[in-house]
């Protein structure tokens, strides 16, 4: 499963594709939510873009999104504090 709820906090397991043509959620791939980002994985650019995009998609500030595992790889686990909206593409149900 690509997500897990802990009260009002969402743990989201992601597979990141940097250097894509657009920032988007591209469904579930190998048990992880596939996220495409336009940013390059150089100097933390993709991680910053990920925090901003996920914050926008889930209705929270980027400070409410944390990378808790995989900060240097393509497979990451994100912690989202009190998401105010759940995008249909993410397929996360509370």
């Amino acid at each position: 499963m690509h997500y897990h709820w802990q009260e009002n906090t969402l743990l989201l397991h992601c597979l990141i594709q940097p250097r894509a043509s657009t920032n988007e959620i591209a469904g579930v791939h190998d048990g992880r939510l596939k996220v495409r980002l336009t940013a390059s994985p150089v100097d933390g650019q993709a991680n910053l873009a990920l925090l901003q995009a996920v914050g926008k998609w889930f209705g929270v500030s980027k400070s409410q999104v944390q990378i808790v595992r995989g900060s240097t790889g393509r497979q990451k686990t994100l912690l989202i504090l009190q998401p105010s909206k759940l995008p249909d593409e993410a397929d996360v149900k509370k």
Side-chain angles (χ1 to χ4, degrees), residues 21-52:
S21 59
T22 186
N23 290 338
E24 67 180 351
I25 297 172
V28 178
H29 180 74
D30 288 338
R32 292 181 172 270
L33 187 68
K34 186 169 186 177
V35 177
R36 294 183 178 144
L37 299 170
T38 58
S40 170
V42 177
D43 296 329
Q45 294 174 21
N47 284 346
L48 180 58
L50 176 65
L51 298 178
Q52 291 172 336

Side-chain angles (χ1 to χ4, degrees), residues 16 26 77:
I16 309 305
T77 301

